[in-house]
Structures are given as structure tokens and as C-alpha cells.
Amino acid sequence: MSPFIARLERLDRVGSTNDVVRGWLAAGTPEVCLATATEQTAGRGREGRRWVAPPGAALLVSLGFRPTWLAPDSAWRLAAVASLAMAEAAEVVARLAAGTIRLKWPNDLVVDVVEGTGGPAGTGVRKLAGVLGETDGLGSPDPRVVVGLGVNADWPAANFPAELASSMTSLREAAADRPIGSDALLTAFTDRLEPAIEALRDAGHFDATAWADRQLTTGRTIRIERPTGAETVRALGVDPATGALVIADATAPDGQRRVVVGEITHVRVADPSIAGAV
């Protein structure tokens, strides 16, 4: 095992790998610690949404960090770096063209089927993976960050849940039904994660260009949903300093407004030409 990973455990059936890693950090386990599981019974996404997959169909992995070396307002970059590493790893393992897997702000990995992969042509943006970052003690002497990723890996399209089949995909589906090994995907992921985290830790380097270039929402009409209501706006990009989504706003002095993750419950691609958008 690489010295980059201080603790790695492959588990069978757990409630949540994020909860496992949070417990390790609370007990003093050093970074970077990693738990992966065959099945989760209490997997979750943002806003408490349930995350489910059949046993062995998804790569379920959580990472634990103690980022005393990172400013509290930059902790979001840990999830961003993990998302980029997973997107690159998934493309290699599934033999997909670079750039096939996109990031949908704030926390999804998706495939744009309109561009020809991941499902029947013309069926829109399909969710491939979700990323959940959770923090404890940011700004204290003992900051802890857990980043969980659930990737639909070796999941045949014929077995997708009926209620999600129009909005999800898997690496197996994107790879024309070629089997996808979770171990190979995990290895490819950690191989790419290690140099990216070490660059962030040692030199404060974050590949903001790669993160921005993979954003699906840039230049598109999106629907931002909040607890107080929703609005349809044009996404202009992302802010590499804060992690915020940048949207057009004619009332702002510079014609732009920034939206942070804590303000929203969901972001949907709202282009009328894209059916099945998520």
C-alpha cells in the first residue's frame, strides 16, 4: 500500500462508508484513510437524499483528511480534487475519450448522452456518480473532512431502477456493456488522487483549469432550486477561489452573481433541447 494511504479497509456490508471514516478520524486515525464497501444500507447524498446500489454494482469509497494544511474556506477543494481524479480514472478504466465524464456543480459526475455515450442518443444528461463532502471542526486545531464517492460502475442498464432509469447511467453502460472492475477503478483513482492531494498539501496547487473545463453547466440554462423557491438562469462558469457557481444576473454591477453550495438544494440542467436532464 502506498504511504499516501495511512489506512485502507475493504468492507462487505456497512451502513455508510462516510460514517465509518468519520469514526476513524474521531478515534485519531491519520490522513489519508480510505474505506470501500461492497454494499451500503444507509448511503446518502446531499440534503439527506438516499443513495442506493445493488451489492457489487458500484464503487463505494470514502476518504478521510485532517487538513490542518488547508485554509477552512478552501476545504471544498478536497472534494473537487477527488471528483477530478475519479472522472479521469473512470475514463481510463472504461476506455472512454478524455472529457466524456463531466462535473455537474456542485457534486455530481455525469455523462452527456446527447454527445453520444452512456445511453440511447438524445436522452440527455445522465448521472454516473455522486460526491458527498462532510466536515467537522473546520477552523479548529483538529479539522476533519470526509469525502464520499458512489460510482455506478459494473451496473447493467437492464437492472437500473425503473424510477431512475431515465436519469442515470453506469460505466458499464458507457463502455457498451463491457464489465467494469471496482478494484481496477479504485486503483486508477488513488493513482491520480495521490499527486493531486500532495500538490494541494505541499504547494497549495489546485488545478482550477481542469476543474472548470469539466463543468457541464457552463454556458447552459439551469434551474437552481432552493428551500424558498427556484429560478432559471444562465450559468457562466465556476469561481476557483470560492468554489461558487457563477450565473448571469442583469441586476449585478458586473452582470454576474455567485451561488454557494449552502444556498441550494438542487441544480438541474434546464435546456429545453435536453430531455431527461438531471
Side-chain angles (χ1 to χ4, degrees):
M1 181 172 65
S2 164
F4 169 70
I5 303 294
R7 178 177 183 178
L8 185 155
E9 291 193 23
R10 290 177 169 85
L11 307 168
D12 184 18
R13 191 171 188 259
V14 300
S16 161
T17 54
N18 265 30
D19 290 344
V20 169
V21 170
R22 175 183 278 111
W24 290 353
L25 291 174
T29 299
E31 66 171 37
V32 176
C33 49
L34 185 157
T36 182
T38 302
E39 181 184 8
Q40 288 185 135
T41 60
R44 60 183 179 275
R46 288 191 68 252
E47 302 294 322
R49 298 183 185 98
R50 193 164 175 243
W51 201 99
V52 296
L59 174 63
L60 309 170
V61 58
S62 293
L63 304 150
F65 300 93
R66 296 183 176 279
T68 53
W69 41 271
L70 191 61
D73 61 2
S74 294
W76 63 270
R77 290 183 171 178
L78 293 168
V81 166
S83 296
L84 279 171
M86 186 60 78
E88 293 169 2
E91 287 171 349
V92 169
V93 170
R95 303 177 203 167
L96 303 175
T100 297
I101 297 172
R102 311 290 296 279
L103 306 181
K104 185 171 78 70
W105 191 93
N107 68 318
D108 288 341
L109 277 66
V110 300
V111 174
D112 189 349
V113 181
V114 171
E115 296 177 355
T117 60
T123 54
V125 177
R126 299 288 191 98
K127 182 171 178 175
L128 174 71
V131 183
L132 178 65
E134 298 178 309
T135 66
D136 293 298
L138 288 185
S140 78
D142 185 26
R144 287 166 263 160
V145 175
V146 179
V147 177
L149 302 98
V151 185
N152 300 332
D154 198 38
W155 194 342
N159 297 340
F160 290 171
E163 66 275 17
L164 299 175
S166 65
S167 62
M168 68 175 284
T169 191
S170 67
L171 279 182
R172 181 166 183 152
E173 174 72 357
D177 203 35
R178 187 171 55 251
I180 302 295
S182 289
D183 285 347
L185 181 57
L186 179 62
T187 297
F189 168 61
T190 55
D191 284 349
R192 286 157 181 78
L193 182 70
E194 180 174 356
I197 290 295
E198 290 185 343
L200 185 62
R201 180 194 290 141
D202 298 340
H205 174 71
F206 168 62
D207 194 344
T209 300
W211 178 68
D213 286 349
R214 278 197 188 257
Q215 297 295 327
L216 174 88
T217 52
T218 299
R220 293 191 176 189
T221 301
I222 61 171
R223 180 177 172 85
I224 297 175
E225 299 177 0
R226 298 182 174 89
T228 55
E231 62 177 329
T232 299
V233 296
R234 191 74 171 171
L236 302 178
V238 284
D239 182 357
T242 65
L245 178 70
V246 182
I247 62 173
D249 184 347
T251 67
D254 62 353
Q256 300 179 357
R257 176 161 44 104
R258 282 158 177 75
V259 178
V260 298
V261 174
E263 296 179 36
I264 60 98
T265 57
H266 206 91
V267 172
R268 299 183 187 276
V269 178
D271 285 314
S273 62
I274 300 178
V278 297

